[in-house]
């Protein structure tokens, strides 16, 4: 194939950081109007390669050549790449929470006439863009009032507002439920039909198999292979073999549950919206979790799963909260996070970077945060004891790092998640709430997380798992609640659960209720 058949070529890209060779002689070639997936385990170099391409890492900070439209390019920053129509949407959202959707979309690219912003035009264009990405919100809605998944759609709308020729999406569906993910993939196919190329980075291999024309596999900072999906369908197992260098016969550990007495009981739990006190979000739900049991909560985005979990964990979400929480049959006060922790409840947030970790601090400091008393004497931290605790968890959870003094911002997503888990395990909980525990994590690291969760259950912990990936719930859970519009509308033992039955329960929920 001739050179001019490619819209983009990245040749022999090498990028180093102190002590780390992040990219080693990487090659990537993208045709015009194709969807090109880039896959690999966390730490394989995917995001680093895209930051080189977009100018986040400017020319001179790496070696190798970037060719776009047949010409060699040297991007000094994002403005240079955007001027050519290369638009990147990072995994970490870059929105201003207290500005409206319209203001965020056109920030730095304002719709102005004679130096005065034309708000009517901005709102009109925003409405068109929101319709295109399937977000049913007003242009004047503040970003802070949107969920993580909705904010991701705003980022995509912002990218589409520019004259994009190559759209780079780094884990665009990580925060989206299945229906919203399908809508986004359909949008990428529509953009492809309009002549727009896309680079899609995703750990959701099923999505990649649906839409990708080509797949480039990275491993340990190098290019392993590029697969042509147009010649023949590429299976998920084939992609995994390239990513991890081996076959994975089982995606989930074999479970032999030993379920004991009830650890947690939540009765008639009601929660009103954090900003709008007249809006009831959680509507009188009942739930229980037993020792050694992994219980799942399935539901579409906006069903109230995270709001429920956070409200139980020290009322960290909502207002006008009522109902009872019992641990081992005894009613307990969970009105603050400290009280919830003291009663043996821990919550692993879906937003590990924003709410689960102090990114600029080291592993050692993050792990001890939820139980500082255990590493302190007379309110003074014993650094030796803190180091020992962190090192023990590093070994037990196989956190890949130079040492426990490494900043967590420099860890891969899977290793960051292990640090969050370590933090809460050090608090010695009896009930562990996991909210999207494998979001943004590659298939190899997912299995490690699943193994840790299975081990905790086997040790007698009660596990409550929230996930937007139904195969994950079906593969891990002993029992699954189905939530819709703030109510549990069905409950299935593992043997009776299926994606079809769960979706049917959601669709048929109507006015709510509880049953099979």
């Amino acid at each position: 194939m001739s050179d001019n058949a490619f819209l983009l070529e990245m040749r022999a890209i090498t990028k180093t950081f102190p002590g780390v060779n992040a990219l080693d002689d990487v090659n990537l070639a993208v045709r015009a109007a194709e969807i090109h997936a880039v896959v690999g385990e966390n730490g394989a170099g995917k995001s680093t390669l895209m930051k080189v391409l977009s100018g986040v890492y400017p020319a001179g900070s790496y070696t190798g050549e970037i060719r776009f439209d047949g010409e060699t390019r040297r991007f000094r920053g994002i403005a240079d790449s955007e001027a050519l129509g290369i638009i990147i949407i990072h995994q970490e959202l870059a929105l201003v929470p207290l500005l409206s959707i319209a203001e965020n979309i056109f920030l730095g690219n304002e719709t102005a006439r004679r130096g005065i912003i034309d708000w009517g035009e901005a709102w009109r264009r925003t409405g068109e863009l929101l319709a295109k990405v399937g977000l049913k919100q007003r242009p004047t809605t503040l970003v802070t009032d949107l969920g993580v998944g909705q904010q991701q759609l705003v980022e995509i709308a912002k990218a589409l507002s520019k004259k994009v020729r190559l759209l780079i999406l780094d884990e665009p569906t990580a925060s989206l439920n299945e229906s919203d993910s399908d809508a986004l993939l359909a949008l990428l196919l529509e953009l492809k039909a309009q002549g727009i190329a896309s680079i899609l980075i995703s750990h959701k291999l099923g999505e990649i198999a649906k839409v990708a024309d080509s797949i480039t596999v990275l491993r340990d900072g190098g290019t392993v292979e590029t697969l042509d999906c147009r010649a023949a369908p590429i299976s998920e197992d084939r992609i995994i073999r390239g990513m991890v260098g081996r076959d994975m016969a089982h995606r989930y550990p074999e479970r032999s549950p030993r379920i004991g007495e009830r650890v947690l009981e939540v009765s008639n739990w009601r929660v009103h919206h954090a900003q709008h006190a007249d809006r009831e979000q959680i509507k009188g739900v009942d739930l229980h979790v037993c020792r050694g049991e992994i219980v799942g909560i399935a539901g579409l985005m906006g069903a109230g799963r995270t709001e429920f979990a956070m409200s139980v964990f020290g009322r960290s979400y909502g207002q006008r909260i009522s109902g009872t929480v019992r641990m081992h049959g005894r009613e307990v006060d969970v009105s603050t996070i400290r009280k919830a922790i003291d009663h043996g409840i821990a919550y692993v947030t879906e937003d590990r970077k924003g709410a689960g970790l102090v990114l600029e601090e080291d592993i050692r400091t993050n792990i001890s945060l939820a139980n500082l008393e255990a590493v302190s004497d007379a309110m003074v931290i014993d650094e030796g004891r803190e180091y020992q605790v962190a090192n023990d968890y590093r070994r037990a959870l196989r956190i890949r790092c130079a040492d426990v003094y490494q900043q967590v911002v420099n860890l891969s997503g899977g290793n960051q998640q292990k640090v969050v888990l370590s933090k809460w395990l050090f608090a010695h909980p009896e009930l562990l709430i996991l909210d999207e525990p494998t979001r943004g994590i590659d298939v190899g690291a997912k299995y490690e997380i699943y193994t840790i969760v299975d081990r905790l259950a086997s040790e007698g912990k009660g596990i409550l798992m929230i996930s937007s990936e139904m195969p994950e719930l079906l593969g891990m859970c002993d029992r699954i609640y189905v939530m819709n519009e703030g109510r549990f509308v069905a409950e299935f033992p593992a043997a009776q659960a299926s994606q079809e039955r769960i979706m049917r329960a959601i669709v048929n929920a109507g006015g709510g209720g509880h049953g099979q």
Side-chain angles (χ1 to χ4, degrees):
M1 183 174 289
S2 61
D3 285 355
N4 59 15
F6 292 111
L7 174 67
L8 167 73
E9 288 181 280
M10 302 183 75
R11 300 174 175 174
I13 302 296
T14 298
K15 171 69 177 172
T16 60
F17 298 101
V20 179
N21 203 18
L23 298 172
D24 186 10
D25 200 32
V26 172
N27 297 293
L28 175 68
V30 180
R31 299 178 184 88
E34 80 160 340
I35 299 174
H36 194 114
V38 178
V39 301
E41 294 189 87
N42 286 105
K46 306 181 300 295
S47 295
T48 302
L49 184 64
M50 293 304 103
K51 288 177 180 178
V52 167
L53 171 58
S54 60
V56 173
Y57 297 140
S61 68
Y62 60 88
T63 62
E65 181 184 23
I66 298 175
R67 293 180 64 82
F68 190 79
D69 263 348
E71 296 183 22
T72 298
R73 310 290 182 173
R74 293 179 58 82
F75 300 135
R76 295 166 297 177
I78 291 178
D80 287 354
S81 61
E82 287 192 348
L84 291 178
I86 301 172
I87 310 296
I88 184 169
I89 300 174
H90 295 285
Q91 188 174 349
E92 295 83 14
L93 303 182
L95 299 172
V96 182
L98 295 180
L99 293 183
S100 69
I101 294 173
E103 288 169 322
N104 270 280
I105 286 177
F106 292 106
L107 186 63
N109 189 31
E110 288 79 6
T111 55
R113 295 181 180 179
R114 298 177 182 176
I116 299 175
I117 294 175
D118 185 340
W119 289 112
E121 178 67 8
W123 293 330
R124 184 190 67 77
R125 288 181 59 190
T126 299
E128 292 176 351
L129 291 164
L130 295 184
K132 200 166 188 179
V133 300
L135 183 55
K136 297 176 181 178
Q137 294 286 342
R138 294 186 177 186
T140 53
T141 301
L142 295 182
V143 164
T144 191
D145 294 333
L146 302 178
V148 176
Q150 293 173 319
Q151 290 183 23
Q152 177 70 70
L153 294 178
V154 173
E155 280 277 26
I156 294 167
K158 182 178 179 179
L160 295 178
S161 71
K162 301 168 185 177
K163 294 180 179 178
V164 59
R165 297 184 61 204
L166 175 62
L167 181 62
I168 306 165
L169 302 107
D170 191 352
E171 298 291 350
T173 64
S175 304
L176 306 185
N177 60 42
E178 190 170 351
S179 60
D180 287 336
S181 295
D182 287 342
L184 175 59
L185 298 178
L187 176 58
L188 293 185
L189 291 171
E190 180 185 330
L191 295 175
K192 172 185 167 183
Q194 297 172 16
I196 297 173
S198 298
I199 295 176
L200 175 62
I201 299 175
S202 178
H203 292 307
K204 297 182 179 180
L205 303 184
E207 295 179 353
I208 286 172
K210 282 182 185 178
V211 300
D213 300 301
S214 304
I215 303 172
T216 293
V217 182
L218 301 183
R219 190 195 312 148
D220 298 328
T223 308
V224 175
E225 59 186 339
T226 295
L227 305 171
D228 187 349
C229 306
R230 299 170 303 174
I234 305 295
S235 70
E236 290 186 39
D237 288 340
R238 174 67 183 84
I239 300 170
I240 291 170
R241 189 162 68 248
M243 288 171 56
V244 303
R246 64 186 187 281
D247 289 310
M248 289 189 68
H250 303 288
R251 302 284 185 90
Y252 305 97
E254 294 290 334
R255 276 189 51 68
S256 301
R258 296 193 301 275
I259 297 173
E261 75 278 4
R262 291 188 178 185
V263 175
L264 171 75
E265 292 179 84
V266 180
S267 303
N268 195 27
W269 196 252
R270 297 180 180 274
V271 180
H272 288 74
H273 193 281
Q275 281 84 38
H276 309 286
D278 59 335
R279 189 195 309 171
E280 191 176 41
Q281 282 197 287
I282 308 301
K283 303 169 183 177
V285 305
D286 302 322
L287 169 143
H288 71 273
V289 181
C290 298
R291 280 177 59 88
E293 185 180 32
I294 301 177
V295 176
I297 303 181
L300 303 179
M301 187 171 67
R305 297 168 301 165
T306 293
E307 290 82 357
F308 168 73
M310 292 180 66
S311 64
V312 170
F313 182 63
R315 303 192 177 188
S316 49
Y317 175 85
Q319 55 183 316
R320 293 175 58 191
I321 298 172
S322 62
T324 59
V325 175
R326 292 181 174 85
M327 294 291 290
H328 302 290
R330 183 173 63 86
E331 186 172 344
V332 295
D333 179 3
V334 293
S335 58
T336 68
I337 290 175
R338 184 70 261 168
K339 290 178 179 178
I341 293 172
D342 289 343
H343 287 300
I345 301 174
Y347 172 63
V348 177
T349 174
E350 65 175 334
D351 182 12
R352 62 176 172 266
K353 293 189 176 181
L357 296 166
V358 183
L359 292 176
E360 300 305 321
E361 292 290 349
D362 58 27
I363 296 168
R364 172 187 54 100
T365 302
N366 274 275
I367 287 177
S368 65
L369 272 177
N371 192 11
L372 288 172
E373 295 87 348
V375 292
S376 302
D377 288 315
M379 300 184 68
V380 177
I381 291 175
D382 182 333
E383 294 187 0
R385 199 188 315 167
E386 187 181 43
Y387 170 84
Q388 188 60 53
V389 166
N391 220 27
D392 289 345
Y393 278 105
R394 178 185 68 82
R395 286 194 295 264
L397 273 65
R398 297 173 60 196
I399 300 171
R400 295 182 180 89
C401 58
D403 54 44
V404 295
Y405 295 108
Q406 186 173 344
Q407 287 183 321
V408 295
V409 71
N410 295 323
L411 298 178
S412 67
N415 287 301
Q416 288 180 345
Q417 191 70 345
K418 290 179 184 179
V419 174
V420 178
L421 280 169
S422 298
K423 176 180 76 173
W424 288 115
L425 293 181
F426 183 47
H428 307 298
E430 297 177 67
L431 186 283
L432 185 61
I433 304 172
L434 304 174
D435 195 350
E436 304 288 359
T438 64
R439 172 171 288 165
I441 294 176
D442 67 76
V443 66
K446 278 185 178 182
Y447 187 83
E448 292 186 336
I449 297 295
Y450 297 149
T451 301
I452 293 167
V453 173
D454 182 65
R455 186 174 75 238
L456 293 172
S458 70
E459 293 170 356
K461 308 286 188 188
I463 309 292
L464 184 61
M465 177 185 286
I466 297 168
S467 177
S468 298
E469 297 187 34
M470 276 195 270
E472 181 170 85
L473 293 176
L474 295 170
M476 287 295 296
C477 296
D478 304 307
R479 189 160 48 88
I480 298 174
Y481 289 94
V482 182
M483 182 170 256
N484 187 60
E485 296 182 355
R487 293 184 174 92
F488 290 142
V489 296
E491 178 184 347
F492 299 109
Q496 298 177 19
S498 68
Q499 292 198 43
E500 292 75 16
R501 295 194 74 182
I502 290 171
M503 286 308 300
R504 193 180 303 121
I506 293 171
V507 171
N508 295 337
H514 187 100
Q516 303 291 334

